[in-house]
Amino acid sequence: MEGAHIPGGHRHPVAQGAAGTVRPGGRTARTRARVLAAAGEILTEKGFTGLDLAQVAARAGVGRTTVHRRWGSAAALVTDLLQEATARPALPRPTTGHLAADLAACALHVRHALTHPAQAALLRAAIAAATFDPPTAGALARFYRACDAAWAPLVARAVAAGELPAGTDAAETVRAVCAPLAHRVVTGAVPSEQDALRAARTALAAARAGAFTR
């Protein structure tokens, strides 16, 4: 997860389209930005169960009807926050040319993002909402696919260089680095740098042993 600022209920409103898809420019865009900023702040302060649409509207300085009509539920707000995070350009990935160091950099980057209060709050909220809200589940899957794709080229380079067995699945290797850190966050723990480096070493050992070959 990136370090950008990001932060259930009913089905998303159909008449207005999916969250975040209404006119991208002008007043609508400014309203959406204010609402998402307010939702991210409240999510960080109070968690998913405290994400109340009326409070979001009040903090954003927009009408309650506007928020209810466009989003309609806390889950829809979480979905839009995820879509916003996924749409942000990925930061340049450090590459040393050595897979061990690259995976360590990946793990430390992920750990830094996950220890950001807004990131951790969004992750926990997204997982909670995804259990009952299909649009959130889809947005969460797309978000993680984008994260995997950002780091997978480093693994692909290592396969091409003979550092890993042919046929190693780059995305699976990246997920093996990230998953232990995300697990700590959703269970209320704070992953340390030692946890991050351990995850990188473990994923590297598994990849070298052929655990992620197709």
Side-chain angles (χ1 to χ4, degrees), residues 12 18 44 60 76 99 102 114 116 126 130 150 165 173 178 195:
H12 297 185
T44 302
L99 185 60
D102 289 343
L114 290 175
H116 187 287
T173 305
C178 302
D195 295 327

Side-chain angles (χ1 to χ4, degrees), residues 64-87:
R64 184 183 304 185
T65 301
T66 297
V67 176
H68 278 276
R69 183 175 63 245
R70 180 163 178 182
W71 286 275
S73 71
L77 282 169
V78 171
T79 297
D80 207 0
L81 285 165
L82 280 170
Q83 291 176 162
E84 179 73 7
T86 304

Side-chain angles (χ1 to χ4, degrees), residues 7-160:
H10 315 288
R11 286 195 175 276
H12 297 185
V14 175
Q16 294 298 315
T21 62
V22 183
R23 283 200 322 272
R27 185 172 62 184
T28 296
R30 292 191 295 272
T31 297
R32 177 173 178 259
R34 289 201 301 270
V35 169
L36 292 187
E41 291 170 4
I42 293 173
L43 194 62
T44 302
E45 296 166 7
K46 300 181 179 181
F48 182 54
T49 57
L51 188 59
D52 178 76
L53 268 63
Q55 293 182 20
V56 170
R59 186 172 298 201
V62 303
R64 184 183 304 185
T65 301
T66 297
V67 176
H68 278 276
R69 183 175 63 245
R70 180 163 178 182
W71 286 275
S73 71
L77 282 169
V78 171
T79 297
D80 207 0
L81 285 165
L82 280 170
Q83 291 176 162
E84 179 73 7
T86 304
R88 293 179 184 274
L91 297 175
R93 301 306 180 202
T95 176
T96 66
H98 300 284
L99 185 60
D102 289 343
L103 291 183
C106 171
L108 290 171
H109 177 93
V110 171
R111 183 256 172 190
H112 176 76
L114 290 175
T115 53
H116 187 287
Q119 294 280 7
L122 178 59
L123 176 59
R124 288 192 289 265
I127 291 172
T131 62
F132 65 86
D133 188 73
T136 308
L140 184 61
R142 290 189 295 274
F143 177 79
Y144 274 111
R145 283 198 296 270
C147 293
D148 294 342
W151 288 96
L154 301 180
V155 180
R157 182 210 58 77
V159 174

